Amino acid sequence: MLDTKGFRKFAYQVVDWMADYYENIEKYPVKSGVKPGEILSCLPDTPPEQEEPMEVILKDFEEKIIPGITHWQSPDFFAYFPANSSYPSVLAEMLTATLGAQCMVWETSPAAAELEEKMMQWIMYLTGIPSSFDGVIQDTASTATLTSLLTAREQYTHFAINEKGFSGTEKFRVYASEETHSSIEKAVKIAGFGKENLVKCAVKKDFSMDTDSLREAIQNDLRRGFNPLAVVATLGTTGTTAIDPLKEITNVAKEYGLWVHVDAALAGSALILPEYRFMIEGIEDVDTFVFNAHKWLFTNFDCSLYFVKDKAALIRTFEILPEYLKTKTHGRVNDYRDWGIQLGRRFRALKLWFVLRNFGLRKMQETLREHIRLAHMIRQNVEEAPDFELLAPAPLNTVCFRYHPSGMDEETLNRINQQLMDTLNRSGKVYFTHTRLHGKFTIRFVIGQTYTREEHVRKAWSEIIRTAMEIS
Ligand SMILES: *Cc1c(COP(=O)(O)O)cnc(C)c1O
């Protein structure tokens, strides 16, 4: 097993590998082409009895693991939403792993707790989230949304369900739009509300929530004896980055006493741009807000930033105090184990600190504005190309389109666009994923990887045109 001397040697070697990887990342096929079971079958069935040298392990990493990796940090990655990273973030992760601190309470590493507190204040300053809110880092937006809905449930029932469980008479309803993320449904299921009590409101032509539909749904539910509990607004839906009208939603919520959670997983990062602050008009009436620094803010997965208006309600929902976790400082400091679901916590604030300082606001703004400019360039290309069709407005960094040569019925169009995307992805040069809008197979062109430049985007667009010509 490695000793300190060996660690030093291989650490240098690994860092060289990391730098080479980033330098040559465009040479890898963006999407891994391995077949199901391929990696599994090249791994031994049992772990080794005797120690194995690091050289062999690292060689296997390169030969057996890397072929099965999809390269999310490639500047030619345009799929899903980004999970972008950056050099300062990676450096911090190395240090985090080195410290190996378990940051469940203040005393288990005061610097982790206090840096987290300060970073959340920095993020509020950067995004315009009111400084009266409190923030905590969660692993994912899914967890934050579940945390929010559980807090809503407990506040509504005066913490009775935590105490006694469901009585069987509650008929909670949670509202979101048809374009809401699947994590909302998952949270509704886990929180015990039942999937059928997630009410999906209609969307307008731009795929943002139609608040008339929200109001009607609430009134309808009240007439039928349901308990409207919460509404989840999405800023930047996963399908098309539609922006729900927050101010209108909070107005309806106020009228009916609903809890408001905002899922801004991707788009929250854009709040560092003053021109996108309009998205949070109404924020003072929001209860909880989440966005992922691990999507579009250069901080590698995982790092979800969760903000709450009422810290006491959050803590009262999750607090536990067994004897073995009692500390003398409890109540005077932030013990983040009480701010969410998990007890054990990684030191995530460190990478955010490195990123925010090493980029600085200017550089972050420049990078996001460039991503958005490039997306709007692609939008224009799509609009001007004779055989392509724009399928949704592109208010942020995502363009939804399809290939649409004349004289094809919908079924053929769906098939040919699936084929276009699969062919592009198999080439290894780019990676796109899709959604369906009004039944139409839609290719999403998402620009958000840290090191994506105009040349990558132009090259991808040429590939799309060339491949479309080839298959038709
Ligand atoms: C990505 C995404 C999520 C889920 O994020 P996780 O951090 O992976 O849980 C939730 N909502 C929206 C709108 C997203 O785009």
Side-chain angles (χ1 to χ4, degrees):
M1 200 198 58
L2 276 185
D3 56 11
T4 310
K5 191 160 158 259
F7 173 72
R8 195 180 296 277
K9 175 181 156 203
F10 285 104
Y12 284 128
Q13 195 175 313
V14 165
V15 168
D16 278 334
W17 188 92
M18 290 157 75
D20 290 344
Y21 173 72
Y22 279 116
E23 214 161 66
N24 298 305
I25 198 161
E26 289 171 61
K27 295 187 185 136
Y28 293 87
V30 188
K31 180 181 193 281
S32 169
V34 301
K35 297 193 179 49
E38 212 173 307
I39 306 293
L40 203 58
S41 66
C42 74
L43 300 170
D45 289 331
T46 53
E49 192 79 36
Q50 301 292 338
E51 57 186 80
E52 293 190 86
M54 231 28 245
E55 285 90 345
V56 177
I57 301 171
L58 287 172
K59 188 162 163 289
D60 281 349
F61 165 72
E62 211 158 330
E63 290 174 2
K64 297 183 174 163
I65 301 302
I66 288 294
I69 292 295
T70 290
H71 300 281
W72 284 70
Q73 302 314 317
S74 167
D76 303 316
F77 182 100
F78 305 108
Y80 302 100
F81 275 154
N84 71 17
S85 182
S86 62
Y87 291 127
S89 186
V90 173
L91 289 180
E93 279 285 37
M94 289 161 71
L95 296 174
T96 300
T98 303
L99 299 174
Q102 211 281 42
C103 308
M104 55 187 166
V105 292
W106 181 88
E107 288 200 2
T108 59
S109 276
E114 294 185 13
L115 186 64
E116 183 160 336
E117 186 173 346
K118 188 62 80 178
M119 285 310 98
M120 298 311 272
Q121 289 164 0
W122 281 16
I123 292 289
M124 289 188 272
Y125 172 82
L126 290 169
T127 55
I129 295 169
S131 56
S132 54
F133 278 55
D134 284 284
V136 56
I137 304 182
Q138 304 274 355
D139 53 5
T140 59
S142 303
T143 302
T145 295
L146 174 60
T147 302
S148 171
L149 292 185
L150 290 172
T151 312
R153 186 192 78 185
E154 287 312 299
Q155 201 189 47
Y156 186 99
T157 61
H158 306 287
F159 302 86
I161 295 179
N162 262 359
E163 213 48 50
K164 302 182 197 306
F166 283 90
S167 71
T169 57
E170 304 87 352
K171 291 198 279 181
F172 293 122
R173 300 287 260 187
V174 175
Y175 307 86
S177 89
E178 281 165 354
E179 290 290 314
T180 196
H181 190 264
S182 56
S183 58
I184 315 306
E185 180 174 311
K186 201 186 241 183
V188 164
K189 289 199 285 186
I190 300 172
F193 303 147
K195 183 173 138 179
E196 54 185 51
N197 292 310
L198 172 61
V199 183
K200 294 194 177 172
C201 308
V203 293
K204 292 179 288 192
K205 252 171 70 188
D206 66 357
F207 299 100
S208 71
M209 188 193 283
D210 178 349
T211 43
D212 289 339
S213 162
L214 170 65
R215 188 187 297 277
E216 274 166 36
I218 297 170
Q219 288 171 347
N220 203 9
D221 283 348
L222 284 170
R223 273 196 299 275
R224 296 194 295 154
F226 286 109
N227 307 118
L229 176 71
V231 55
V232 180
T234 312
L235 306 181
T237 57
T238 314
T240 73
T241 63
I243 300 163
D244 285 349
L246 189 57
K247 182 78 188 164
E248 287 179 31
I249 291 172
T250 55
N251 282 343
V252 175
K254 259 197 286 191
E255 215 175 299
Y256 297 97
L258 263 62
W259 177 273
V260 182
H261 174 58
V262 178
D263 174 6
L266 171 91
S269 295
L271 293 172
I272 66 168
L273 307 175
E275 62 271 31
Y276 280 92
R277 286 281 170 86
F278 73 89
M279 293 193 296
I280 55 165
E281 204 200 322
I283 184 82
E284 57 290 346
D285 293 315
V286 161
D287 292 285
T288 55
F289 186 103
V290 66
F291 82 95
N292 287 344
H294 66 236
K295 269 185 174 154
W296 203 16
L297 210 63
F298 322 112
T299 309
N300 70 278
F301 189 83
D302 50 352
C303 191
S304 285
L305 310 176
Y306 180 55
F307 297 92
V308 302
K309 187 154 71 182
D310 183 357
K311 173 172 92 173
L314 169 69
I315 293 175
R316 194 163 161 206
T317 303
F318 291 96
E319 193 169 40
I320 35 110
L321 203 54
E323 193 56 36
Y324 51 82
L325 289 177
K326 281 187 183 155
T327 55
K328 289 206 182 102
T329 49
H330 187 66
R332 286 189 286 135
V333 295
N334 287 347
D335 289 325
Y336 285 119
R337 62 132 199 263
D338 293 330
W339 294 52
I341 293 165
Q342 51 186 142
L343 168 64
R345 311 178 75 249
R346 281 160 36 71
F347 185 7
R348 297 193 191 91
L350 191 71
K351 58 189 171 186
L352 194 55
W353 191 46
F354 275 38
V355 167
L356 296 181
R357 295 181 65 189
N358 190 238
F359 274 75
L361 175 59
R362 273 304 134 65
K363 189 72 197 169
M364 292 194 293
Q365 287 178 326
E366 265 171 37
T367 311
L368 293 196
R369 283 202 180 105
E370 180 64 0
H371 288 159
I372 293 166
R373 183 186 74 82
L374 293 173
H376 293 176
M377 181 185 89
I378 291 300
R379 176 178 65 191
Q380 195 178 347
N381 287 354
V382 168
E383 283 176 322
E384 288 170 0
D387 288 341
F388 285 83
E389 183 186 6
L390 188 71
L391 293 174
L396 287 151
N397 67 338
T398 300
V399 184
C400 293
F401 71 96
R402 68 173 173 175
Y403 180 43
H404 192 168
S406 57
M408 276 186 194
D409 60 19
E410 284 298 320
E411 202 180 309
T412 315
L413 284 172
N414 284 348
R415 193 168 42 72
I416 201 161
N417 276 284
Q418 171 92 61
Q419 193 192 345
L420 169 60
M421 190 180 83
D422 292 346
T423 312
L424 284 163
N425 291 346
R426 259 198 316 273
S427 79
K429 293 177 186 167
V430 285
Y431 183 19
F432 296 100
T433 51
H434 78 285
T435 188
R436 233 169 240 278
L437 299 173
H438 302 302
K440 298 170 186 166
F441 187 96
T442 304
I443 304 177
R444 295 165 68 261
F445 194 142
V446 185
I447 299 161
Q449 201 284 320
T450 309
Y451 303 108
T452 295
R453 303 279 170 265
E454 182 166 339
E455 64 195 84
H456 304 108
V457 173
R458 284 191 181 279
K459 197 181 63 182
W461 177 247
S462 312
E463 280 303 315
I464 292 169
I465 301 281
R466 202 179 55 75
T467 311
M469 295 303 135
E470 239 171 56
I471 61 171
S472 62

